Structures are given as C-alpha cells and as structure tokens.
Amino acid sequence: EPDTFLGHICKRLNKIPLLADVIIATSSEPDDDPIEKEANNLNVKCFRGSKNDVLSRYVEAAVENELDVIIRLTGDNPVVINEFFTPALQHHTDGKFDYTYTKGMPLGTNLEIVNTNALINSLKYNPEPNEREHVTMFIKNHQEKYAIGIYNVHPTLILPELRLTVDYPNDYAMVNILMLYLKESQYDYQLKDIIDFFHKNSWLTDINSDNFQKKSFNSYKDELNEGLKLLENAELTNVVMNYKKFLNT
C-alpha cells in the first residue's frame, strides 16, 4: 500500500535524530478526522485546534507538548530534505534568532524554524485574520520586533522552475512521478538526487511550471502590482492600461 503524503513526511522526519517530537497539528473540524486517524496509524502525535486561527493552533500545540522551538512543515509539501534540518537549526540557535527560514531550495521544500515564545508574543499584538491563518506571517510583516535568520542552501543545485508543492492536479502528478523514482532507493534521498533526476528528465518540469503560485503579500499595493504583472504576462495590455488609469484617478 503506498504512503500518504503525511505518511511519507513522518517517515522522513523520524530519521532525523535531533527532532524530539513529530506532531501533526490539524483542525478540530470533522472533515479532518481522517488526518487524526492517519496520525494514529503512523503512531505520531496529533493536536487538533482552530481551523482558521492556525497561529493559535500552533501555540497551543507547542505549549501542550512543552516545545521551545518548532520546525514547521506543511502537508502539501511532501518532499522532505533531511540534510538541512540540523545545519539550519544550528544556524538558528547560534544566531539566537526568533525565526529562521531556509532559502534556495525548490519550491515546496524550504523549511521554517520559529521559537514558541515568538509565536506567543505575536498573539499579543492581535494579528489580522490572514496573519492568524499563516502562522509566521505576523513575524515576517513586523521584522523590527524579531530577530530573523536566513539559512542559504547551495543555489547552484537549484532548478528555478522546479515546483515540488502540491496545489494543483498536475503538481500531484509531478510529485508521484518523483516518488516512483525515489522508491527505488527506499526513499533514502538527498537534494542532489532530486536535482540530478530532473536534470536527466528536464521535460518533467514542464508538467507544472505554468502553475500560479499562491502568495501572501505585505500590503494591498504589493498585491495590486503582482496582479498587474500577471495581466501583462497574459498580454492583456488594454486591461492593464485602463486599470493603471483608474488607479491614478
């Protein structure tokens, strides 16, 4: 029987000695009962909390499990690159950062490290609903309040068009093809193995390279500018021209 995304993620994480606990933090909605069932099948802890206030869900899960530091992954990113957990965490602790993120890995494989105290602190500022839905958004939006670290991964390895996140059916197809390849090594892989596979089969990146990547924006103006770029890329020049006139009135 093939692994679920959660199953693969948890099995990869269980190979990392430095992790004290693997916790699946899902919502208390009935729709997420199968996730708790899968956690039980995997013998992994499951915490259930608010559906939309994911920030509070994380804080409650961390407090209940007495966690000082959280390494955050999401269930729609099933490819877990183990080799960077230890150096990224070392960078986080050595730099005494509140929040650290990796940079330079394929879309869907970067990770975030955040101190529980920083998340608790962010709740005190009564974050906006979107800052509650996206756990670390408040910290990223208010960098003057927190010590932020960046752990850069070797950029020479990276294919910029490589999407390993799953938002669309063709993303799912892409990841399944990769997993069939990784199964040959019993899913014992490093970033280099993945990059080599896509270099040898470069056509595969065409499967999902045109997908729109959902983004969170720091301001309404930033979101408008991104929308205009998308319209320009679609060669909707009259729409762009008239919209810019409307914005300037």
Side-chain angles (χ1 to χ4, degrees), residues 1 90 100 108 122 165 173 175 218:
E1 187 178 327
Q90 194 70 51
T100 298
S122 68
T165 190
V175 168
N218 292 335

mmCIF file of all heavy atoms in Angstrom, residues 1 90 100 108 122 165 173 175 218:
data_model
loop_
_atom_site.group_PDB
_atom_site.id
_atom_site.type_symbol
_atom_site.label_atom_id
_atom_site.label_comp_id
_atom_site.label_asym_id
_atom_site.label_seq_id
_atom_site.Cartn_x
_atom_site.Cartn_y
_atom_site.Cartn_z
ATOM 1 N N GLU A 1 0.848 -1.202 0.000
ATOM 2 C CA GLU A 1 0.000 0.000 0.000
ATOM 3 C C GLU A 1 0.883 1.251 0.000
ATOM 4 O O GLU A 1 1.795 1.366 0.826
ATOM 5 C CB GLU A 1 -0.890 -0.004 1.246
ATOM 6 C CG GLU A 1 -1.916 1.119 1.255
ATOM 7 C CD GLU A 1 -2.819 1.056 2.484
ATOM 8 O OE1 GLU A 1 -3.084 -0.077 2.942
ATOM 9 O OE2 GLU A 1 -3.233 2.105 2.958
ATOM 10 N N GLN A 90 21.106 24.675 13.728
ATOM 11 C CA GLN A 90 22.339 25.188 14.327
ATOM 12 C C GLN A 90 22.488 26.682 14.048
ATOM 13 O O GLN A 90 22.851 27.468 14.924
ATOM 14 C CB GLN A 90 23.547 24.431 13.757
ATOM 15 C CG GLN A 90 24.845 24.644 14.531
ATOM 16 C CD GLN A 90 24.824 23.987 15.893
ATOM 17 O OE1 GLN A 90 24.508 22.810 16.006
ATOM 18 N NE2 GLN A 90 25.128 24.745 16.931
ATOM 19 N N THR A 100 13.757 31.613 11.706
ATOM 20 C CA THR A 100 14.736 31.347 10.643
ATOM 21 C C THR A 100 14.035 30.607 9.511
ATOM 22 O O THR A 100 13.188 29.741 9.764
ATOM 23 C CB THR A 100 15.902 30.484 11.175
ATOM 24 O OG1 THR A 100 16.580 31.204 12.219
ATOM 25 C CG2 THR A 100 16.893 30.142 10.075
ATOM 26 N N GLY A 108 8.506 24.331 -2.234
ATOM 27 C CA GLY A 108 7.850 23.225 -1.543
ATOM 28 C C GLY A 108 8.780 22.422 -0.656
ATOM 29 O O GLY A 108 8.322 21.472 0.001
ATOM 30 N N SER A 122 3.652 37.194 19.275
ATOM 31 C CA SER A 122 2.918 37.759 18.139
ATOM 32 C C SER A 122 1.419 37.804 18.410
ATOM 33 O O SER A 122 0.715 38.690 17.923
ATOM 34 C CB SER A 122 3.223 36.982 16.853
ATOM 35 O OG SER A 122 2.692 35.672 16.895
ATOM 36 N N THR A 165 5.660 21.562 -4.584
ATOM 37 C CA THR A 165 4.493 21.758 -3.730
ATOM 38 C C THR A 165 3.270 21.248 -4.481
ATOM 39 O O THR A 165 3.308 21.093 -5.702
ATOM 40 C CB THR A 165 4.330 23.254 -3.369
ATOM 41 O OG1 THR A 165 3.326 23.391 -2.361
ATOM 42 C CG2 THR A 165 3.961 24.098 -4.577
ATOM 43 N N ALA A 173 0.619 14.977 -9.961
ATOM 44 C CA ALA A 173 1.197 14.062 -10.958
ATOM 45 C C ALA A 173 2.722 14.135 -10.921
ATOM 46 O O ALA A 173 3.406 13.104 -10.948
ATOM 47 C CB ALA A 173 0.673 14.409 -12.352
ATOM 48 N N VAL A 175 4.752 15.097 -8.440
ATOM 49 C CA VAL A 175 5.314 14.520 -7.216
ATOM 50 C C VAL A 175 5.223 12.998 -7.248
ATOM 51 O O VAL A 175 6.129 12.300 -6.787
ATOM 52 C CB VAL A 175 4.609 15.112 -5.975
ATOM 53 C CG1 VAL A 175 4.961 14.315 -4.722
ATOM 54 C CG2 VAL A 175 5.023 16.573 -5.776
ATOM 55 N N ASN A 218 2.613 41.707 1.688
ATOM 56 C CA ASN A 218 2.770 42.571 2.848
ATOM 57 C C ASN A 218 1.828 43.760 2.819
ATOM 58 O O ASN A 218 1.585 44.385 3.845
ATOM 59 C CB ASN A 218 4.219 43.089 2.936
ATOM 60 C CG ASN A 218 5.183 41.968 3.262
ATOM 61 O OD1 ASN A 218 4.797 40.973 3.851
ATOM 62 N ND2 ASN A 218 6.433 42.120 2.875
#
